[in-house]
mmCIF file of all heavy atoms in Angstrom:
data_model
loop_
_atom_site.group_PDB
_atom_site.id
_atom_site.type_symbol
_atom_site.label_atom_id
_atom_site.label_comp_id
_atom_site.label_asym_id
_atom_site.label_seq_id
_atom_site.Cartn_x
_atom_site.Cartn_y
_atom_site.Cartn_z
ATOM 1 N N GLY A 213 122.987 169.054 83.966
ATOM 2 C CA GLY A 213 123.785 168.210 84.854
ATOM 3 C C GLY A 213 123.021 166.982 85.319
ATOM 4 O O GLY A 213 123.592 165.894 85.461
ATOM 5 N N PHE A 214 121.723 167.133 85.520
ATOM 6 C CA PHE A 214 120.882 166.015 85.929
ATOM 7 C C PHE A 214 120.896 164.914 84.871
ATOM 8 O O PHE A 214 120.977 163.730 85.177
ATOM 9 C CB PHE A 214 119.442 166.487 86.172
ATOM 10 C CG PHE A 214 118.454 165.371 86.313
ATOM 11 C CD1 PHE A 214 118.333 164.675 87.510
ATOM 12 C CD2 PHE A 214 117.661 164.982 85.241
ATOM 13 C CE1 PHE A 214 117.436 163.629 87.643
ATOM 14 C CE2 PHE A 214 116.754 163.935 85.356
ATOM 15 C CZ PHE A 214 116.644 163.258 86.561
ATOM 16 N N PHE A 215 120.806 165.313 83.589
ATOM 17 C CA PHE A 215 120.762 164.338 82.505
ATOM 18 C C PHE A 215 122.108 163.644 82.316
ATOM 19 O O PHE A 215 122.154 162.475 81.955
ATOM 20 C CB PHE A 215 120.270 164.997 81.215
ATOM 21 C CG PHE A 215 118.861 165.511 81.355
ATOM 22 C CD1 PHE A 215 118.612 166.852 81.543
ATOM 23 C CD2 PHE A 215 117.789 164.637 81.341
ATOM 24 C CE1 PHE A 215 117.324 167.319 81.703
ATOM 25 C CE2 PHE A 215 116.489 165.089 81.496
ATOM 26 C CZ PHE A 215 116.251 166.434 81.682
ATOM 27 N N ILE A 216 123.177 164.351 82.596
ATOM 28 C CA ILE A 216 124.506 163.735 82.535
ATOM 29 C C ILE A 216 124.649 162.714 83.661
ATOM 30 O O ILE A 216 125.095 161.589 83.432
ATOM 31 C CB ILE A 216 125.612 164.808 82.583
ATOM 32 C CG1 ILE A 216 125.563 165.637 81.292
ATOM 33 C CG2 ILE A 216 126.982 164.174 82.788
ATOM 34 C CD1 ILE A 216 126.435 166.875 81.290
ATOM 35 N N LYS A 217 124.222 163.086 84.864
ATOM 36 C CA LYS A 217 124.280 162.145 85.996
ATOM 37 C C LYS A 217 123.405 160.925 85.732
ATOM 38 O O LYS A 217 123.776 159.793 86.061
ATOM 39 C CB LYS A 217 123.842 162.838 87.279
ATOM 40 C CG LYS A 217 124.854 163.816 87.822
ATOM 41 C CD LYS A 217 124.347 164.509 89.073
ATOM 42 C CE LYS A 217 125.329 165.567 89.532
ATOM 43 N NZ LYS A 217 124.800 166.359 90.641
ATOM 44 N N SER A 218 122.250 161.146 85.136
ATOM 45 C CA SER A 218 121.344 160.051 84.810
ATOM 46 C C SER A 218 121.976 159.117 83.774
ATOM 47 O O SER A 218 121.871 157.894 83.881
ATOM 48 C CB SER A 218 120.031 160.617 84.283
ATOM 49 O OG SER A 218 119.136 159.599 83.979
ATOM 50 N N CYS A 219 122.660 159.690 82.803
ATOM 51 C CA CYS A 219 123.374 158.910 81.794
ATOM 52 C C CYS A 219 124.435 158.025 82.455
ATOM 53 O O CYS A 219 124.538 156.833 82.156
ATOM 54 C CB CYS A 219 124.006 159.873 80.786
ATOM 55 S SG CYS A 219 125.098 159.106 79.570
ATOM 56 N N VAL A 220 125.195 158.600 83.361
ATOM 57 C CA VAL A 220 126.242 157.853 84.081
ATOM 58 C C VAL A 220 125.610 156.705 84.865
ATOM 59 O O VAL A 220 126.086 155.566 84.819
ATOM 60 C CB VAL A 220 127.053 158.781 85.010
ATOM 61 C CG1 VAL A 220 127.998 157.979 85.900
ATOM 62 C CG2 VAL A 220 127.820 159.825 84.207
ATOM 63 N N LEU A 221 124.523 156.999 85.551
ATOM 64 C CA LEU A 221 123.844 155.974 86.343
ATOM 65 C C LEU A 221 123.337 154.836 85.447
ATOM 66 O O LEU A 221 123.493 153.662 85.780
ATOM 67 C CB LEU A 221 122.683 156.591 87.118
ATOM 68 C CG LEU A 221 121.932 155.672 88.067
ATOM 69 C CD1 LEU A 221 122.859 155.079 89.121
ATOM 70 C CD2 LEU A 221 120.790 156.426 88.726
ATOM 71 N N ASP A 222 122.776 155.182 84.298
ATOM 72 C CA ASP A 222 122.309 154.153 83.366
ATOM 73 C C ASP A 222 123.455 153.246 82.922
ATOM 74 O O ASP A 222 123.300 152.030 82.854
ATOM 75 C CB ASP A 222 121.667 154.791 82.126
ATOM 76 C CG ASP A 222 120.296 155.378 82.389
ATOM 77 O OD1 ASP A 222 119.661 154.980 83.384
ATOM 78 O OD2 ASP A 222 119.868 156.239 81.591
ATOM 79 N N ILE A 223 124.594 153.847 82.615
ATOM 80 C CA ILE A 223 125.754 153.051 82.188
ATOM 81 C C ILE A 223 126.220 152.137 83.314
ATOM 82 O O ILE A 223 126.504 150.952 83.093
ATOM 83 C CB ILE A 223 126.902 153.953 81.703
ATOM 84 C CG1 ILE A 223 126.527 154.605 80.367
ATOM 85 C CG2 ILE A 223 128.205 153.157 81.555
ATOM 86 C CD1 ILE A 223 127.514 155.639 79.873
ATOM 87 N N MET A 224 126.279 152.668 84.509
ATOM 88 C CA MET A 224 126.752 151.872 85.637
ATOM 89 C C MET A 224 125.792 150.717 85.953
ATOM 90 O O MET A 224 126.223 149.632 86.322
ATOM 91 C CB MET A 224 126.953 152.757 86.878
ATOM 92 C CG MET A 224 128.023 153.839 86.700
ATOM 93 S SD MET A 224 129.627 153.229 86.140
ATOM 94 C CE MET A 224 130.118 152.247 87.528
ATOM 95 N N LEU A 225 124.500 150.938 85.760
ATOM 96 C CA LEU A 225 123.517 149.890 86.059
ATOM 97 C C LEU A 225 123.429 148.823 84.973
ATOM 98 O O LEU A 225 123.142 147.660 85.255
ATOM 99 C CB LEU A 225 122.131 150.510 86.272
ATOM 100 C CG LEU A 225 121.964 151.318 87.553
ATOM 101 C CD1 LEU A 225 120.615 152.028 87.558
ATOM 102 C CD2 LEU A 225 122.091 150.423 88.779
ATOM 103 N N THR A 226 123.667 149.215 83.717
ATOM 104 C CA THR A 226 123.496 148.279 82.603
ATOM 105 C C THR A 226 124.812 147.821 81.982
ATOM 106 O O THR A 226 124.804 146.934 81.134
ATOM 107 C CB THR A 226 122.640 148.921 81.487
ATOM 108 O OG1 THR A 226 123.334 150.056 80.962
ATOM 109 C CG2 THR A 226 121.271 149.313 81.996
ATOM 110 N N ASN A 227 125.918 148.462 82.373
ATOM 111 C CA ASN A 227 127.228 148.209 81.775
ATOM 112 C C ASN A 227 127.159 148.382 80.249
ATOM 113 O O ASN A 227 127.737 147.630 79.485
ATOM 114 C CB ASN A 227 127.756 146.817 82.129
ATOM 115 C CG ASN A 227 129.251 146.714 81.875
ATOM 116 O OD1 ASN A 227 130.005 147.621 82.219
ATOM 117 N ND2 ASN A 227 129.683 145.637 81.257
ATOM 118 N N SER A 228 126.399 149.401 79.837
ATOM 119 C CA SER A 228 126.155 149.644 78.422
ATOM 120 C C SER A 228 125.785 151.109 78.200
ATOM 121 O O SER A 228 125.291 151.775 79.100
ATOM 122 C CB SER A 228 124.987 148.758 77.966
ATOM 123 O OG SER A 228 124.519 149.162 76.714
ATOM 124 N N THR A 229 126.010 151.585 76.981
ATOM 125 C CA THR A 229 125.619 152.958 76.631
ATOM 126 C C THR A 229 124.283 152.979 75.886
ATOM 127 O O THR A 229 123.905 154.003 75.337
ATOM 128 C CB THR A 229 126.695 153.610 75.745
ATOM 129 O OG1 THR A 229 126.855 152.828 74.555
ATOM 130 C CG2 THR A 229 128.013 153.728 76.479
ATOM 131 N N ILE A 230 123.581 151.878 75.905
ATOM 132 C CA ILE A 230 122.355 151.763 75.114
ATOM 133 C C ILE A 230 121.289 152.805 75.487
ATOM 134 O O ILE A 230 120.489 153.196 74.649
ATOM 135 C CB ILE A 230 121.787 150.328 75.206
ATOM 136 C CG1 ILE A 230 120.816 150.082 74.066
ATOM 137 C CG2 ILE A 230 121.157 150.057 76.549
ATOM 138 C CD1 ILE A 230 120.615 148.634 73.728
ATOM 139 N N TRP A 231 121.292 153.305 76.727
ATOM 140 C CA TRP A 231 120.292 154.279 77.161
ATOM 141 C C TRP A 231 120.768 155.719 77.040
ATOM 142 O O TRP A 231 120.027 156.649 77.354
ATOM 143 C CB TRP A 231 119.859 153.995 78.602
ATOM 144 C CG TRP A 231 119.195 152.677 78.751
ATOM 145 C CD1 TRP A 231 119.717 151.546 79.302
ATOM 146 C CD2 TRP A 231 117.878 152.327 78.295
ATOM 147 N NE1 TRP A 231 118.816 150.516 79.221
ATOM 148 C CE2 TRP A 231 117.677 150.969 78.612
ATOM 149 C CE3 TRP A 231 116.860 153.031 77.658
ATOM 150 C CZ2 TRP A 231 116.493 150.310 78.314
ATOM 151 C CZ3 TRP A 231 115.684 152.364 77.366
ATOM 152 C CH2 TRP A 231 115.510 151.026 77.689
ATOM 153 N N ALA A 232 121.976 155.945 76.576
ATOM 154 C CA ALA A 232 122.527 157.306 76.521
ATOM 155 C C ALA A 232 121.700 158.232 75.636
ATOM 156 O O ALA A 232 121.455 159.387 75.985
ATOM 157 C CB ALA A 232 123.982 157.273 76.055
ATOM 158 N N ALA A 233 121.250 157.743 74.498
ATOM 159 C CA ALA A 233 120.445 158.577 73.602
ATOM 160 C C ALA A 233 119.117 158.953 74.257
ATOM 161 O O ALA A 233 118.593 160.045 74.015
ATOM 162 C CB ALA A 233 120.197 157.857 72.282
ATOM 163 N N GLY A 234 118.604 158.094 75.110
ATOM 164 C CA GLY A 234 117.367 158.401 75.833
ATOM 165 C C GLY A 234 117.552 159.580 76.776
ATOM 166 O O GLY A 234 116.663 160.432 76.900
ATOM 167 N N GLY A 235 118.700 159.647 77.427
ATOM 168 C CA GLY A 235 118.993 160.780 78.312
ATOM 169 C C GLY A 235 119.115 162.078 77.540
ATOM 170 O O GLY A 235 118.617 163.126 77.965
ATOM 171 N N ARG A 236 119.764 161.999 76.385
ATOM 172 C CA ARG A 236 119.904 163.196 75.547
ATOM 173 C C ARG A 236 118.540 163.642 75.026
ATOM 174 O O ARG A 236 118.232 164.830 74.976
ATOM 175 C CB ARG A 236 120.857 162.899 74.389
ATOM 176 C CG ARG A 236 121.159 164.110 73.533
ATOM 177 C CD ARG A 236 122.075 163.780 72.387
ATOM 178 N NE ARG A 236 121.470 162.777 71.529
ATOM 179 C CZ ARG A 236 122.143 161.997 70.714
ATOM 180 N NH1 ARG A 236 123.460 162.080 70.630
ATOM 181 N NH2 ARG A 236 121.527 161.116 69.962
ATOM 182 N N GLU A 237 117.699 162.691 74.681
ATOM 183 C CA GLU A 237 116.357 163.018 74.192
ATOM 184 C C GLU A 237 115.492 163.589 75.314
ATOM 185 O O GLU A 237 114.676 164.486 75.087
ATOM 186 C CB GLU A 237 115.705 161.777 73.573
ATOM 187 C CG GLU A 237 114.426 162.049 72.843
ATOM 188 C CD GLU A 237 114.543 163.036 71.697
ATOM 189 O OE1 GLU A 237 115.646 163.290 71.174
ATOM 190 O OE2 GLU A 237 113.498 163.589 71.319
ATOM 191 N N ALA A 238 115.684 163.101 76.538
ATOM 192 C CA ALA A 238 114.960 163.663 77.691
ATOM 193 C C ALA A 238 115.368 165.117 77.909
ATOM 194 O O ALA A 238 114.531 165.958 78.260
ATOM 195 C CB ALA A 238 115.226 162.830 78.938
ATOM 196 N N LEU A 239 116.635 165.426 77.699
ATOM 197 C CA LEU A 239 117.107 166.809 77.788
ATOM 198 C C LEU A 239 116.390 167.668 76.748
ATOM 199 O O LEU A 239 115.884 168.750 77.044
ATOM 200 C CB LEU A 239 118.622 166.869 77.585
ATOM 201 C CG LEU A 239 119.249 168.250 77.406
ATOM 202 C CD1 LEU A 239 119.060 169.115 78.641
ATOM 203 C CD2 LEU A 239 120.732 168.116 77.076
ATOM 204 N N ARG A 240 116.295 167.177 75.511
ATOM 205 C CA ARG A 240 115.629 167.932 74.443
ATOM 206 C C ARG A 240 114.151 168.156 74.774
ATOM 207 O O ARG A 240 113.624 169.257 74.632
ATOM 208 C CB ARG A 240 115.746 167.200 73.097
ATOM 209 C CG ARG A 240 115.227 168.025 71.916
ATOM 210 C CD ARG A 240 115.186 167.197 70.644
ATOM 211 N NE ARG A 240 114.111 166.232 70.665
ATOM 212 C CZ ARG A 240 112.830 166.520 70.388
ATOM 213 N NH1 ARG A 240 112.482 167.740 70.072
ATOM 214 N NH2 ARG A 240 111.911 165.580 70.435
ATOM 215 N N THR A 241 113.487 167.118 75.247
ATOM 216 C CA THR A 241 112.066 167.212 75.590
ATOM 217 C C THR A 241 111.831 168.214 76.711
ATOM 218 O O THR A 241 110.912 169.037 76.641
ATOM 219 C CB THR A 241 111.531 165.820 75.989
ATOM 220 O OG1 THR A 241 111.761 164.914 74.911
ATOM 221 C CG2 THR A 241 110.054 165.868 76.298
ATOM 222 N N THR A 242 112.662 168.165 77.731
ATOM 223 C CA THR A 242 112.543 169.104 78.852
ATOM 224 C C THR A 242 112.773 170.528 78.373
ATOM 225 O O THR A 242 112.065 171.453 78.757
ATOM 226 C CB THR A 242 113.551 168.735 79.964
ATOM 227 O OG1 THR A 242 113.296 167.399 80.387
ATOM 228 C CG2 THR A 242 113.449 169.673 81.153
#
Side-chain angles (χ1 to χ4, degrees):
F214 168 80
F215 297 102
I216 292 170
K217 287 178 185 173
S218 181
C219 173
V220 172
L221 184 59
D222 286 339
I223 290 173
M224 297 307 294
L225 289 173
T226 63
N227 197 44
S228 167
T229 59
I230 198 157
W231 297 105
R236 185 181 60 202
E237 190 59 20
L239 170 63
R240 187 188 73 80
T241 303
T242 302

